[in-house]
Amino acid sequence: MRRNKSTMKVSRQERALQVVNFICMTVAVFLCMYPFWYLIIYSLSDPAQASRGVWLLPKGFTIYAYQWIMENTNFGHAFLISTSRTLINTVLCLLGSSLFAYLVTQRDMIARKFIYRFVIITMYLGAGLVPYYITMKSYHLNNSYLLYIIPGILNAYYVILIKTFIEQIPASLEESARMDGAGFFKVYARIILPLSKPIIATVAVYASVGAWNSWQDNYLLAQSPKLQTVQLLLYNCINQAQVLADSMKQGLVQAPGAVALSAETIKMATTIVAVLPVMMVYPFLQKYFVKGVMMGAVKG
Amino acid sequence: MQGRGEESLLVRRLGRRRVRGLKYTLLAVPFVIYIFAMNYVPLIGWLYSVFDYKLGQRFLDFGNMVFVGLDNFKKLYNERSEVMRVLRNTLVMSGLGLLATPLPVVFAILFNEIKGKHFKKFVQTTTTLPNFISWITVYGIAFAFFSVNGFVSTVLRQFGIEPSPTGILGDVDKVWFLQWFLGIWKSFGWSAIIYIAAIVGIDSELFDAARVDGADKLQTIWHITVPGILPTYVVMFLLAVSNILTNGFDQYFMFYNPLVADRIEVLDYYVYKVGFIINDYPYSITLGMLKSLLSIALLFTANGLSKKIRGDAIV
């Protein structure tokens, strides 16, 4: 009964607002999703038909562009580099940042404030591209896989997020463990880490997306093709349209049943392949992303 | 056994707490060294704004560093027309960004009015996704839409309109607008989250009271939701103001091409260009250093303003 009454109360204005709102949201969703969809259908279409326009579904379905990428580029290797750096980076970053965050919550620590600020300031004080470049070079990290691993171990922003979270854990839990004779590392591993799971998950998501998307280190400091990441492969692929087109001329000599390729199709397929890992895990991890923003609203 | 004896001596001297405190500090030392090596050593590189640096020279080779005084700052003055152009682009892009700051607020308010739970989740998932793809990927997508043979040109041709021969990506008149649009596309859903959180944080009694008083939806939004978000908006706006010199490097690096160079070279890109294309390290370091210092000054100003307006700091 009550329900009926309240539905009746919904005024005309409110209903109109609902409709307008629904339209606005649908447009927003469309603007955000259609570009991805367009690239997917285009890259799955026969290039000759696609160049005349595809809108909703692939025309002349073919996965030849994807096959071509697998066979003719370094994609497999780049994928391995990107995936491995993402995994190693994330794990080390989580360990380093959480251990340091827990350390600076210890009130007994001598020079605690100074040490914490010493780390946090780096968030605001960037040296710039060239100083970064010559520093990394002077450490001989250029053209080395370690370039992808070492700089990401401690991140000031993640330290703030984790520290804020740890401070909300009841101190009594830690104290009683201490009474039972557990040392610093034992408390960290057995109590702090398990209880910080939500924020650890959030930071893990940020760190892994960041690692997957990073390319500057690769571009500036690691020219060796052995160290090429998926992002840089995509960058090169987009920028070498002409070279690509030339190298594909052989492919264009049509063997019976073979489909021609175009530079456009290749580029779009590569873009999709580079973004696919993020798109696949994103819907499942979205709540952790959001949690980080809420936490980030709390200042360091 | 002996170790234990020593420890107890130390404990007796300093007290248990101090010893534990010292232990924590020692544990933090590796982190401090690490941060020093990664973040502070490059800062020492700022010395090269007053010392010469030749390509291939060893970093901080103090014995062989030649003092050049204010040469790089003089260069900045001599090339002021170029610097002004870059600064203009930077401020235009930042200014456009500031103009767009109400957009996530509007989106958050509309988002909050969605009734269906699943639709709500769907909208949030899809609109925040663009924030998590790299600018390289955005470039790949933009290429598919705005290049000579892209989506937009294809649509125009279908309507019998001949698109510009350079495509929108090569159109210098549209470059500011396009970059603005792409920036909004990538970030509006993500920026809205903080406002959505602010709306959720508004005391629900206020909404109930408004309903009892007979306020309709629009009135409720205007008199309760908007004032409820305003403090958050002020903080975000001040942060954006303190960031006006930073447009981000990735976006402008990706979309750079000779046709649009004149208007797309922002400070972050210019620092890269001077350093890695012109190979003038000291001048690039000088520019980067000035940018960093000015940004920090701006941040402090914004922080001071925030303290004055809201009685609370932002950083």
Side-chain angles (χ1 to χ4, degrees):
Chain A
M1 278 317 272
R2 226 174 133 234
R3 198 172 206 174
N4 255 335
K5 240 183 190 171
S6 72
T7 7
M8 274 178 17
K9 260 191 197 162
V10 173
S11 67
R12 195 177 255 178
Q13 182 208 38
E14 208 154 313
R15 204 169 292 160
L17 272 176
Q18 282 298 324
V19 173
V20 172
N21 196 16
F22 182 77
I23 295 170
C24 286
M25 289 299 130
T26 311
V27 169
V29 169
F30 179 80
L31 278 177
C32 288
M33 283 301 104
Y34 183 71
F36 295 101
W37 181 244
Y38 177 71
L39 264 67
I40 292 173
I41 55 172
Y42 196 109
S43 61
L44 289 173
S45 295
D46 171 56
Q49 294 181 50
S51 65
R52 270 174 267 128
V54 281
W55 316 112
L56 285 173
L57 291 168
K59 283 182 188 162
F61 183 86
T62 165
I63 56 163
Y64 192 47
Y66 292 90
Q67 276 176 348
W68 189 91
I69 293 170
M70 298 302 158
E71 282 160 18
N72 294 283
T73 67
N74 241 339
F75 183 81
H77 189 77
F79 189 80
L80 201 71
I81 293 283
S82 280
T83 322
S84 66
R85 86 169 275 184
T86 301
L87 288 176
I88 299 173
N89 232 327
T90 309
V91 170
L92 285 181
C93 177
L94 283 178
L95 280 177
S97 301
S98 66
L99 189 62
F100 182 76
Y102 177 49
L103 205 53
V104 287
T105 59
Q106 300 299 313
R107 306 221 163 260
D108 291 342
M109 181 192 231
I110 293 164
R112 183 174 78 107
K113 277 232 165 87
F114 169 77
I115 291 172
Y116 182 60
R117 287 192 185 144
F118 185 80
V119 172
I120 298 307
I121 276 179
T122 60
M123 230 166 79
Y124 304 104
L125 201 60
L129 220 47
V130 172
Y132 156 80
Y133 175 81
I134 43 184
T135 307
M136 292 301 138
K137 253 190 149 164
S138 75
Y139 295 154
H140 300 288
L141 287 175
N142 52 321
N143 279 324
S144 151
Y145 186 73
L146 288 176
L147 174 71
Y148 297 151
I149 307 301
I150 296 199
I153 295 175
L154 196 59
N155 178 302
Y157 179 61
Y158 301 155
V159 168
I160 293 179
L161 288 183
I162 301 174
K163 177 178 168 271
T164 315
F165 192 92
I166 292 178
E167 279 167 347
Q168 291 165 350
I169 296 175
S172 57
L173 284 172
E174 199 184 328
E175 279 159 19
S176 62
R178 284 290 169 97
M179 299 277 232
D180 294 343
F184 173 81
F185 286 102
K186 202 163 186 184
V187 176
Y188 164 76
R190 295 277 168 80
I191 295 179
I192 300 300
L193 269 190
L195 287 176
S196 311
K197 231 191 235 157
I199 195 65
I200 296 285
T202 299
V203 173
V205 170
Y206 284 167
S208 52
V209 172
W212 177 263
N213 282 342
S214 59
W215 61 277
Q216 277 185 31
D217 41 13
N218 188 182
Y219 179 75
L220 293 173
L221 283 153
Q223 280 81 19
S224 156
K226 275 187 196 149
L227 291 169
Q228 195 178 49
T229 58
V230 171
Q231 297 295 329
L232 207 69
L233 185 125
L234 170 62
Y235 173 73
N236 290 335
C237 173
I238 296 171
N239 277 306
Q240 292 165 0
Q242 196 47 52
V243 185
L244 261 177
D246 290 346
S247 76
M248 276 179 324
K249 272 196 180 126
Q250 306 147 353
L252 276 172
V253 181
Q254 293 198 355
V259 196
L261 268 171
S262 73
E264 266 77 28
T265 326
I266 297 283
K267 282 181 204 166
M268 293 192 204
T270 317
T271 309
I272 288 302
V273 173
V275 83
L276 211 56
V278 178
M279 280 184 87
M280 302 250 273
V281 297
Y282 186 74
F284 304 102
L285 301 177
Q286 187 242 0
K287 64 175 174 178
Y288 295 114
F289 283 98
V290 175
K291 217 173 259 165
V293 181
M294 313 274 191
M295 297 277 308
V298 193
K299 52 186 177 164
Chain B
M1 264 325 194
Q2 205 189 355
R4 182 167 273 191
E6 266 169 34
E7 193 185 284
S8 64
L9 187 74
L10 202 66
V11 169
R12 231 178 300 146
R13 272 270 178 82
L14 295 169
R16 196 167 292 266
R17 263 186 74 141
R18 294 278 293 278
V19 171
R20 207 193 304 155
L22 205 63
K23 199 185 91 187
Y24 293 140
T25 309
L26 285 178
L27 280 175
V29 166
F31 290 105
V32 170
I33 294 174
Y34 171 82
I35 283 290
F36 183 81
M38 287 297 145
N39 295 287
Y40 287 83
V41 170
L43 286 177
I44 303 174
W46 280 0
L47 279 176
Y48 288 113
S49 59
V50 288
F51 286 94
D52 198 20
Y53 184 89
K54 293 266 180 301
L55 283 182
Q57 190 179 329
R58 252 183 48 219
F59 184 45
L60 298 178
D61 184 6
F62 290 107
N64 293 314
M65 280 162 68
V66 183
F67 187 71
V68 293
L70 295 178
D71 279 8
N72 288 305
F73 296 88
K74 278 180 203 147
K75 189 168 195 175
L76 186 76
Y77 180 75
N78 291 334
E79 294 189 3
R80 59 187 175 280
S81 66
E82 182 79 343
V83 174
M84 289 317 273
R85 180 179 66 81
V86 170
L87 217 52
R88 175 201 68 186
N89 295 339
T90 305
L91 294 178
V92 165
M93 287 323 300
S94 303
L96 287 172
L98 288 178
L99 277 182
T101 48
L103 205 74
V105 179
V106 174
F107 181 75
I109 292 172
L110 291 177
F111 177 83
N112 190 53
E113 297 300 326
I114 299 178
K115 289 288 179 283
K117 210 176 163 195
H118 292 291
F119 186 57
K120 212 168 184 171
K121 181 143 196 273
F122 177 68
V123 170
Q124 188 159 58
T125 307
T126 47
T127 53
T128 49
L129 175 66
N131 189 57
F132 289 97
I133 62 174
S134 66
W135 273 107
I136 298 191
T137 329
V138 176
Y139 181 62
I141 294 171
F143 201 92
F145 276 81
F146 304 118
S147 66
V148 192
N149 294 316
F151 180 89
V152 174
S153 298
T154 315
V155 172
L156 286 179
R157 275 192 206 104
Q158 296 233 330
F159 286 101
I161 307 164
E162 195 44 43
S164 81
T166 57
I168 299 171
L169 289 177
D171 190 339
V172 75
D173 290 326
K174 297 199 179 77
V175 63
W176 285 341
F177 183 77
L178 178 69
Q179 295 314 315
W180 188 40
F181 172 78
L182 290 171
I184 293 174
W185 180 78
K186 197 167 183 304
S187 70
F188 81 94
W190 183 248
S191 313
I193 292 180
I194 198 152
Y195 299 119
I196 293 168
I199 296 175
V200 173
I202 297 174
D203 191 350
S204 61
E205 276 181 27
L206 287 173
F207 291 108
D208 294 340
R211 200 171 332 145
V212 171
D213 288 347
D216 63 29
K217 201 89 224 175
L218 282 177
Q219 285 170 324
T220 316
I221 289 175
W222 187 247
H223 291 288
I224 295 175
T225 315
V226 170
I229 316 179
L230 205 61
T232 312
Y233 178 73
V234 171
V235 172
M236 299 317 282
F237 189 81
L238 284 174
L239 275 178
V241 169
S242 69
N243 260 327
I244 45 171
L245 292 179
T246 309
N247 306 100
F249 168 65
D250 293 17
Q251 179 181 3
Y252 299 91
F253 174 79
M254 286 303 150
F255 285 89
Y256 175 90
N257 65 58
L259 294 173
V260 297
D262 183 52
R263 294 202 188 160
I264 206 173
E265 286 179 355
V266 295
L267 211 44
D268 284 320
Y269 180 81
Y270 195 63
V271 167
Y272 161 80
K273 180 181 160 183
V274 171
F276 293 96
I277 297 177
I278 304 175
N279 275 324
D280 188 345
Y281 284 9
Y283 185 46
S284 172
I285 289 174
T286 310
L287 289 169
M289 177 181 77
L290 289 176
K291 199 209 108 175
S292 250
L293 293 176
L294 275 174
S295 295
I296 286 179
L298 279 168
L299 185 70
F300 275 116
T301 315
N303 208 26
L305 270 176
S306 164
K307 271 186 196 158
K308 223 172 214 172
I309 302 172
R310 308 165 48 240
D312 196 9
I314 45 177
V315 284

